Amino acid sequence: MTGKTVRRLAYECGFELAGVARAQPLPEAEWFFDWVRLGMAGEMQYLTDHRAALRADPRSLLPSARSVICVGKLYNTPHPYSTEFHEPGRAWISRYAWGRDYHKVMRRGLRRLAERLQQAVGEPFEWRAACDSAPLLERALARQAGLGWIGKNSCLIHERSGSWYFLGELLVSLDIEPDRPAPDRCGSCTRCIEACPTGAIVPTGQVGGPAYAVDSRRCISYLTIELRGPMPSSLKAELGFHLFGCDICQDVCPWNRRAPATGEPAFQPRHFAPPLDWLQALDAEDFRRSFAGTPVLRTGWEGFRRNLGAVLEAAGRPSPR
Ligand code: SF4
Ligand code: SF4
């Protein structure tokens, strides 16, 4: 089985990016452990508990794995970037969360890819699919598989189509010719660092590792999605209109200037920049109904109210009921 065949099958299964990495220990694991040791994972226990060590080697998930097929599915739609959108009275939801939750779409595509591979190989093999839910260093694997490089903003960037991708992996017990890692093309650019409102993209001081990392504790995405409990008051003031997540460091990235749009119906926006008046009037039941099936539910009602309170405060409005 060649990487070229795998790519063809992956494209047929609805992925725009595909490549192959060897299932072996990842050098990037050491940098990840340093990032965790420095506390930059904040309170995200799924990154810091016993599962952290499993990320060093994809075979922790499937001991028979020989190759990791990495795929990317585009979620960009032809709507303005947050840095171009200036309508008072509206809140911003991160681009990835406008449509239906991506896990189902990705898992369906990966399962289809496994079936197509079975047909092509003609003999049984072991496989396991993952998308954002298993302890894997997804971006490091995608880089190894040639899908792109990891930018200073920590996102995987493809040189022709940018960074608006969901990543997924199919671990297989097949030996597939691996791809070559993509070169880093950030160069001397520092746009994302300069644009980040909370100064969350920080130098690592790493030798031989990434020069920059996102300190989650300062990142609006973490503060509005992952953090439970109250928001640090020093950072709350920087939230602006961000109700759920933040896209700024991707919006300003020059590699996203000509990012293509997805044709996937599930990712078409249901809630693009919702009006504050409407958000303010929601009760818990309305919230659950309105955002059912989208990633926004991850905050829970309490987190949503906390975020909305901060956005309303920034807009000079009273707190939600
Ligand atoms: S998501 Fe927003 S807050 Fe987080 S690093 Fe990027 S620009 Fe900064
Ligand atoms: S904005 Fe510049 S430095 Fe940041 S990820 Fe994009 S290319 Fe790299």
Side-chain angles (χ1 to χ4, degrees), residues 40-235:
M40 292 198 197
E43 293 172 18
M44 292 185 277
Q45 265 187 16
Y46 63 93
L47 293 176
T48 58
D49 64 13
H50 63 280
R51 288 168 283 186
L54 302 178
R55 291 173 196 267
D57 187 341
R59 289 171 299 190
S60 312
L61 280 189
L62 181 72
S64 63
R66 307 293 298 272
S67 312
V68 184
I69 301 170
C70 297
V71 295
K73 188 156 180 70
L74 189 68
Y75 64 84
N76 185 39
T77 56
H79 286 71
Y81 287 174
S82 66
T83 45
E84 306 161 344
F85 185 82
H86 307 290
E87 264 191 50
R90 289 180 174 263
W92 192 259
I93 290 176
S94 190
R95 187 164 292 262
Y96 86 89
W98 292 352
R100 297 200 70 80
D101 196 301
Y102 55 95
H103 293 93
K104 269 191 197 158
V105 177
M106 292 295 285
R107 282 199 204 107
R108 201 184 311 131
L110 287 165
R111 213 171 24 246
R112 200 178 303 154
L113 178 57
E115 288 161 9
R116 300 295 302 272
L117 280 169
Q118 295 270 14
Q119 288 163 5
V121 173
E123 58 188 63
F125 61 87
E126 292 196 310
W127 60 272
R128 180 161 174 187
C131 168
D132 191 19
S133 50
L136 277 179
L137 293 181
E138 292 194 295
R139 280 167 292 174
L141 282 165
R143 188 186 80 82
Q144 299 277 354
L147 267 58
W149 74 97
I150 300 174
K152 289 174 186 145
N153 60 6
S154 291
C155 296
L156 185 98
I157 307 173
H158 184 268
E159 67 176 317
R160 282 194 306 282
S161 48
S163 64
W164 307 113
Y165 282 100
F166 294 125
L167 300 179
E169 302 76 32
L170 195 66
L171 286 77
V172 292
S173 58
L174 299 168
D175 246 327
I176 309 173
E177 175 195 323
D179 285 283
R180 275 204 297 272
D184 186 326
R185 297 202 185 281
C186 276
S188 57
C189 175
T190 51
R191 282 172 197 233
C192 54
I193 300 168
E194 286 148 24
C196 175
T198 54
I201 305 174
V202 294
T204 60
Q206 289 265 12
V207 179
Y212 291 88
V214 170
D215 186 341
S216 305
R217 295 166 299 184
R218 301 193 62 81
C219 175
I220 293 170
S221 285
Y222 167 78
L223 295 169
T224 56
I225 302 174
E226 301 293 339
L227 181 71
R228 300 291 170 255
M231 199 166 294
S233 49
S234 56
L235 294 169

Side-chain angles (χ1 to χ4, degrees), residues 191-313:
R191 282 172 197 233
C192 54
I193 300 168
E194 286 148 24
C196 175
T198 54
I201 305 174
V202 294
T204 60
Q206 289 265 12
V207 179
Y212 291 88
V214 170
D215 186 341
S216 305
R217 295 166 299 184
R218 301 193 62 81
C219 175
I220 293 170
S221 285
Y222 167 78
L223 295 169
T224 56
I225 302 174
E226 301 293 339
L227 181 71
R228 300 291 170 255
M231 199 166 294
S233 49
S234 56
L235 294 169
K236 195 171 150 190
E238 306 298 334
L239 237 62
F241 71 164
H242 291 96
L243 178 70
F244 181 93
C246 167
D247 294 326
I248 293 173
C249 55
Q250 296 192 80
D251 288 345
V252 300
C253 180
W255 299 96
N256 276 336
R257 255 188 229 137
R258 284 180 291 277
T262 181
E264 170 61 56
F267 300 156
Q268 301 311 308
R270 288 170 70 190
H271 295 289
F272 170 75
L276 291 179
D277 291 337
W278 176 70
L279 291 165
Q280 225 169 341
L282 297 179
D283 63 18
E285 191 41 45
D286 299 332
F287 163 70
R288 278 189 277 275
R289 204 178 30 248
S290 304
F291 292 100
T294 78
V296 177
L297 282 192
R298 185 167 170 82
T299 59
W301 170 239
E302 286 309 318
F304 172 81
R305 274 171 57 83
R306 175 200 61 190
N307 296 349
L308 182 58
V311 171
L312 291 171
E313 202 176 306

